[in-house]
Amino acid sequence: MVKNTRRAVSAIALAAGMVLPTLPASADTTYTETYRPQFHYTPAQNWMNDPNGLVYANGQYHLFYQYNPSGNTWGNMSWGHAVSPDLIHWTELPVAIPEDAATMIFSGSAVLDTNNTSGFGTSTNPPLVAIYTAVNKATGNQSQALAYSTDGGQTFTKYAGNPVLDIGSNNFRDPKVFWYAPGNEWIMAAALSDQHKVTFYSSPDFKQWTHLNDFGPAGATGGPWECPDLFPLPDPANPNQQEWVLIVNLNPGGVAGGSGAQYFTGSFDPVHGFTPDGVPPAGTGLGSYDSGSFDGWTATGTAFGSAPATGTLPNQMTVSGWSGAGYASSFNGGDGSTGSLSSPNFTIDHRYLNFLAGGGNHPYVPGSVTPGGIPDGTTFADFEATSYGSGWQTTGDFVGTGPAPGTLPYQNPVSGYLGSGLVNTFTNVDTAMGTITSPSFTISKRYVNLLVGGGNHPWGGPNPTSVNVVVNGQVVATATGQNNEHLDWVSLDLNAYQGQTATVQIVDENSGGWGHILADQIMFGDNPVTVAQDTAVRLVVDGQVVRSAGGRAGTEQRGEHRLLVRDVVARRRDARRGRVDLAERRRPVAVVALGVPRCADARPGRRPGPRPPH
């Protein structure tokens, strides 16, 4: 209910310095007139319109509104004011910001300047600050101005430095201002009415404003845009994320005529502004997947198929939320398929990577190794030169040979090695035999981690193809291939041999089928290799995953993600070139704009058999 009385109205008129018409006899003090709203606030008399400056401060809800103190039609534009302890019982107060001889007071907003960034109050008595559109009566120019209160909203003082933002437009109005904590700044959303745009500004103190960006035209544009509002709400599908809501009003332009309202949901930050759901933010594209191809990205495995998906795949839950004609989906072949989709290299010169992602919630585990990645540790041999390296010795058919540049003649394609070279004993089509042995080293780390592929002929069995660690003439740890030309990570535990002298011996004693061994990137480390098993989007810099994001379990809805990457450059000044990977390791992830890979689990090395070393 509203606690206005005729006596209170008279007091308001005197305080505002205006004379109000005498109230008719039926307008008694109880607000019981036939057509008087009982729960919607109304002033005691005269014309009102847009609510402005809805704010809670000092135990009271403050309602400001467009108001004509002297008549029941539009005119004499001022800000009325009422307060309530509970949003039900309202007390009308004197006009807060009156029109003056030169300026009309149009719509805006009000905030409690808790940190006294404006300097209008003190740290112990922060001011209420109203931001409104000041309309020049002579020219129609619309600019943004301030008024402030240091007595809890009882009275307001117009800022002597008004206007604080003037772009010389007659259609620039209705500022909504709020505190944006991540940037420690005030954000303004205002309407460029005739352009059907919402324009965004930032300020540290209400007085100096910097233009950020604009949104629109979009949605309904049948009338001028007015009275925008922007605020975050928790995402019901992911409590750790927010959805931003941008409300835009029109007058005229409503569905049934007259004024109307519309809203957009999406994301917001000062750099990119407001991005509605399903619309890619502005920036440099790395891949839209709308052309029927992967836009130069490289696919491995079967998960991503040969081309982007254009809808829900067979036996898949309904997919929604992608943008454009296509998207990358790793559900090709169902949940059992694996693979990767990797972008070309690019230089990091923007702060964010923005993309849509959905599908399985299997995040990347920091420290796990991805395809093309290198685990923590010290490199002992990478086989990138023309020789195996200083001190390496060869016997048999491998005398005079060096690292292979990948796949050899008549060999199935070799994959999984790093760089441009590896040990490949497929020489002479599996007939070559011999050994390749490293120089001696002192065991100071617990693990030897290396990439191994080729034939599955373990040490200790007949005609082995293996990589051995030899201590005092005995094989103490060993690994072999899996009858596959793909190299996987293997970890050999040498904890029992710390401080002892050892060599790495690569053995090929097999001239039959799969009679060869593949080896690369031998490293010493404190930990075994953990191979990534995720469905994720990864940003890879210098072979290391520096950022990642994934889908949300139980839904095929694509949601927007942003990876902050500028500080990667700041911390890694030699790492300005990046690559984005889409990895499918367990369950599907569908991504628009960025993507990720598959690698097999690292295999533990075998305990050696009884055969003596060669």
Side-chain angles (χ1 to χ4, degrees), residues 236-599:
N238 190 342
N240 295 323
Q241 297 186 11
Q242 291 180 326
E243 277 284 302
W244 285 78
V245 180
L246 175 64
I247 296 175
V248 180
N249 292 273
L250 300 87
N251 184 25
V255 175
S259 61
Q262 62 182 325
Y263 70 91
F264 306 88
T265 60
S267 62
F268 173 80
D269 68 73
V271 174
H272 299 90
F274 179 79
T275 303
D277 289 334
V279 177
T284 302
L286 291 179
S288 67
Y289 314 131
D290 290 338
S291 65
S293 73
F294 286 126
D295 299 328
W297 292 50
T298 302
T300 65
T302 61
F304 290 93
S306 60
T310 57
T312 302
L313 296 180
N315 302 315
Q316 186 178 22
M317 294 172 60
T318 301
V319 178
S320 62
W322 78 88
S323 175
Y327 66 97
S329 172
S330 67
F331 197 76
N332 288 273
D335 274 341
S337 59
T338 58
S340 68
L341 188 63
S342 301
S343 76
N345 287 338
F346 62 92
T347 299
I348 298 174
D349 55 7
H350 290 73
R351 185 172 185 179
Y352 292 95
L353 291 177
N354 302 309
F355 53 95
L356 294 167
N361 183 17
H362 303 285
Y364 171 77
V365 177
S368 58
V369 178
T370 64
I374 300 175
D376 293 336
T378 303
T379 299
F380 179 59
D382 60 12
F383 307 114
E384 292 299 296
T386 56
S387 68
Y388 294 115
S390 176
W392 284 75
Q393 299 179 358
T394 55
T395 66
D397 295 321
F398 304 123
V399 173
T401 65
T407 305
L408 296 177
Y410 306 107
Q411 186 177 22
N412 289 324
V414 175
S415 61
Y417 62 96
L418 303 181
S420 59
L422 76 156
V423 174
N424 184 348
T425 67
F426 192 77
T427 306
N428 296 327
V429 192
D430 266 348
T431 61
M433 294 190 295
T435 63
I436 304 169
T437 304
S438 77
S440 298
F441 61 91
T442 299
I443 298 173
S444 60
K445 300 290 186 180
R446 178 168 181 173
Y447 293 94
V448 171
N449 297 316
L450 70 159
L451 288 164
V452 178
N456 183 7
H457 306 288
W459 181 262
N463 309 114
T465 55
S466 63
V467 181
N468 305 327
V469 176
V470 180
V471 176
N472 295 327
Q474 300 294 319
V475 175
V476 298
T478 182
T480 189
Q482 299 295 309
N483 289 344
N484 195 308
E485 302 292 17
H486 182 82
L487 285 76
D488 292 318
W489 283 103
V490 175
S491 296
L492 304 177
D493 190 347
L494 303 180
N495 190 49
Y497 305 98
Q498 293 296 299
Q500 299 190 48
T501 301
T503 59
V504 173
Q505 183 185 65
I506 301 171
V507 177
D508 182 348
E509 294 186 355
N510 198 304
S511 60
W514 286 103
H516 63 280
I517 188 74
L518 309 173
D520 194 22
Q521 200 66 34
I522 301 173
M523 303 187 67
F524 303 145
D526 294 321
N527 300 296
V529 174
T530 300
V531 178
Q533 297 195 35
D534 53 324
T535 55
V537 180
R538 312 183 189 125
L539 173 66
V540 182
V541 176
D542 285 351
Q544 302 294 319
V545 177
V546 296
R547 295 287 186 274
S548 68
R552 295 179 290 184
T555 178
E556 299 287 5
Q557 167 73 36
R558 262 29 72 234
E560 184 166 335
H561 290 267
R562 288 195 168 120
L563 303 181
L564 178 63
V565 297
R566 182 175 292 173
D567 65 320
V568 175
V569 179
R571 290 187 294 107
R572 300 170 59 85
R573 296 188 181 275
D574 60 337
R576 293 187 58 85
R577 296 199 66 81
R579 186 184 79 249
V580 178
D581 293 322
L582 291 173
E584 166 50 59
R585 307 214 21 91
R586 297 171 54 111
R587 293 178 58 196
V589 58
V591 182
V592 172
L594 301 177
V596 309
R598 182 247 185 266
C599 20

Side-chain angles (χ1 to χ4, degrees), residues 192-229:
L192 298 173
S193 298
D194 58 340
Q195 300 178 47
H196 302 112
K197 290 183 178 181
V198 175
T199 184
F200 298 101
Y201 288 81
S202 69
S203 173
D205 59 5
F206 298 97
K207 302 170 185 176
Q208 303 294 324
W209 292 93
T210 300
H211 180 251
L212 300 173
N213 35 62
D214 299 335
F215 169 76
T221 56
W225 280 18
E226 296 184 330
C227 298
D229 198 357

Side-chain angles (χ1 to χ4, degrees), residues 65-83:
Y65 49 92
Q66 292 284 276
Y67 187 51
N68 178 358
S70 59
N72 60 5
T73 60
W74 186 95
N76 193 19
M77 298 306 298
S78 305
W79 271 28
H81 188 194
V83 294

